[in-house]
Amino acid sequence: MEKVFPLIETRRLILREVTIEDAGDMFKYLSDTDVVKPMGLDPCQTVNDVWDEIKWYESIFQEGSGIRWGITLKDSNRVIGSCGFLNMVTKHHRAEIGYELSKDHWGKGIASEALKAVVMYGYRHFHLERIQALIEPDNHPSQKLVEKQGFRREGLLRHYEYTCGKFDDLYMYSLIKEDLNDISFNSLS
């Protein structure tokens, strides 16, 4: 994986590396139960909790197992969410994708725009063959988001994760590189 953190620009967004200086902006959404519950996380209680999240972003990038971009609007440098890859397995050309967005920006197409840009970056620069998303059955908005991007539901992984004191079932979605032929991904501007 590249060691210089890449910048991604879309029509409305700049996806960039997050830093400790972004912790205050990130605390706004990472302390929101509605935002973090589908991620299997407890809400952050302090800015120090956000620092741990930022350190995790740094560690997965340095070890080459993932990358997480901060989502910012072009007219503001404030981080309003994140999107990126984790559990990258270069030998098998696959990765999981994850994302979250501040509730203030839900329903505006921002998550869709960021997700599309990150997916395309993964296929072009990391030479991925498969991108997968693991989504809780009750998280209908996230299911709708990935389905709109061309991901296909493959099945239910029963009691796949243990988070927040309980076992969670997760739907497995995937997007294979050849699926892009059936989808219009050319409108990133």
Side-chain angles (χ1 to χ4, degrees), residues 34-143:
D34 292 336
V35 173
V36 299
K37 181 185 175 293
M39 300 164 58
L41 299 175
D42 288 319
C44 291
Q45 301 299 310
T46 68
V47 173
N48 285 350
D49 295 338
V50 178
W51 293 345
D52 290 340
E53 185 76 1
I54 293 170
K55 288 176 191 166
W56 177 70
Y57 293 178
E58 291 172 356
S59 72
I60 63 171
F61 180 67
Q62 290 305 316
E63 67 191 26
S65 65
I67 184 170
R68 196 76 170 206
W69 285 270
I71 301 170
T72 66
L73 298 172
K74 280 187 175 178
D75 62 357
S76 165
N77 195 33
R78 298 176 63 123
V79 176
I80 60 171
S82 78
C83 186
F85 298 113
L86 61 152
N87 298 325
M88 290 181 74
V89 183
T90 42
K91 175 183 176 183
H92 298 295
H93 302 273
R94 75 170 179 249
E96 291 175 27
I97 196 159
Y99 45 84
E100 79 280 335
L101 189 65
S102 173
K103 248 193 310 195
D104 295 343
H105 300 281
W106 287 5
K108 299 177 183 177
I110 292 170
S112 181
E113 189 172 330
L115 181 63
K116 184 183 288 188
V118 169
V119 163
M120 289 310 299
Y121 193 93
Y123 286 125
R124 290 178 183 151
H125 297 279
F126 298 142
H127 310 289
L128 295 173
E129 176 63 24
R130 173 188 172 91
I131 298 174
Q132 54 198 35
L134 299 170
I135 303 172
E136 290 183 348
D138 291 340
N139 190 348
H140 301 290
S142 192
Q143 292 171 44

